[in-house]
Amino acid sequence: MTRHFLRDDDLSPAEQREVLELALAFRDDRYIRTPLAGPRAVAVIFDKPTLRTQVSFCAGIAEMGGFPLVVDGNLAQIGTRESITDTARVLGRQVAAVVWRTGAQVRIEEMAAGAGVPVVNALTDEFHPCQILADLATVALHRGGVGALAGLTLAYVGDGANNMAHSYLLGGATAGLHVRIGCPEGFRPDERVVTDARRIAASTGGSVTVVPTLAEAVTGADVVATDTWVSMGQEAEATARETPFVPFRLDEAALALAAPDALVLHCLPAYRGKEITAGVLDGPQSVAWDEAEFRLHAQKALLAFLLDARRP
């Protein structure tokens, strides 16, 4: 059976734990698994700007014995020059997996429907699930292992309607976290995602809360996360979007509301003085650089899991 990772809840709680445990193992020994030895090619397609995603997937595929076949989305024009379905059929006959950083979620769903090989969401407008695997692995590293995740409180503050908020909801609930989203009115998460996350949380012992102030989200939290106020494609709205988000800036006063040993996450790139201050991002509680490194380890673990799932 071909497994895909299109959104965070494509992994069950047990499967997510397996991937996170393997991510920690890859950190200790980057060559413990080489399922792409041959080398087998993995198509890595970029429709959107990228740094961490490109570096981590390409390095990870190579470290697992494979060949990262990088495809420039601007040249390929998938869905314009050629249909997504036809592209999927072509790729599926030549590569071991497809990794795609694109726009609407429906695009990657269509790719998965036709590829016949594992398809991985490297970012869409709706979800950023590989980033959340990296974030969870980072927290596990600093909190005594994957088993320590359940019961922790993670607060995300900023744009509740973006892909990071949606993935924190689903991925955090899957891990048994108490997820709090603090965001201004008009920037709340998609209610369908909230409903799905609450359903998952009911089975894992976690919880999901959406609140209208930073203080309600952050107070007592074990982990505090934020993200840019202006996602890719929203650049023209930058000035208008800033005003409602200023009260959600993660600064030293906001961090002081959290648990004394709270960890700070930011998926990067960060805009110091906007969504986060330099003092917090570069301070002793920030684990953003571990988080960036764990993109490599978590994505290797995910690919290994998906490729193993294809075995008869």
Side-chain angles (χ1 to χ4, degrees), residues 26-41:
F26 267 123
R27 180 180 182 271
D28 293 336
D29 182 347
R30 287 165 71 153
Y31 303 97
I32 56 172
R33 298 274 291 276
T34 55
L36 292 167
R40 301 164 69 192

Side-chain angles (χ1 to χ4, degrees), residues 62-85:
E63 289 179 2
M64 291 197 294
F67 175 75
L69 180 62
V70 177
V71 179
D72 184 335
N74 291 324
L75 294 177
Q77 298 182 40
I78 300 171
T80 302
R81 179 173 176 268
E82 187 171 13
S83 73
I84 295 173
T85 298

Side-chain angles (χ1 to χ4, degrees), residues 30 36 55-66 296 300 303:
R30 287 165 71 153
L36 292 167
V55 171
S56 57
F57 268 112
C58 291
I61 290 163
E63 289 179 2
M64 291 197 294
L296 171 69
K300 288 169 68 176
L303 284 170

Side-chain angles (χ1 to χ4, degrees), residues 111-193:
M111 179 71 77
V117 297
V119 173
V120 174
N121 179 350
L123 175 142
T124 60
D125 295 340
E126 289 86 352
F127 302 102
H128 199 355
C130 288
Q131 180 66 59
I132 269 53
L133 288 178
D135 290 11
L136 293 172
T138 301
V139 175
L141 175 71
H142 289 273
R143 287 294 178 264
V146 178
L149 291 174
L152 294 178
T153 296
L154 182 148
Y156 167 88
V157 293
D159 186 356
N162 74 7
N163 51 13
M164 285 300 295
H166 289 159
S167 279
Y168 274 128
L169 286 165
L170 294 180
T174 300
L177 298 178
H178 300 292
V179 182
R180 301 178 191 159
I181 305 294
C183 58
E185 290 299 329
F187 298 92
R188 291 173 57 88
D190 187 318
E191 285 301 324
R192 294 168 297 180
V193 175

Side-chain angles (χ1 to χ4, degrees), residues 84-94 111 114-115:
I84 295 173
T85 298
D86 286 356
T87 302
R89 290 171 175 169
V90 170
L91 292 175
R93 290 172 177 245
Q94 301 184 55
M111 179 71 77

Side-chain angles (χ1 to χ4, degrees), residues 192-205:
R192 294 168 297 180
V193 175
V194 174
T195 297
D196 288 342
R198 285 181 172 149
R199 173 181 50 78
I200 296 167
S203 69
T204 62

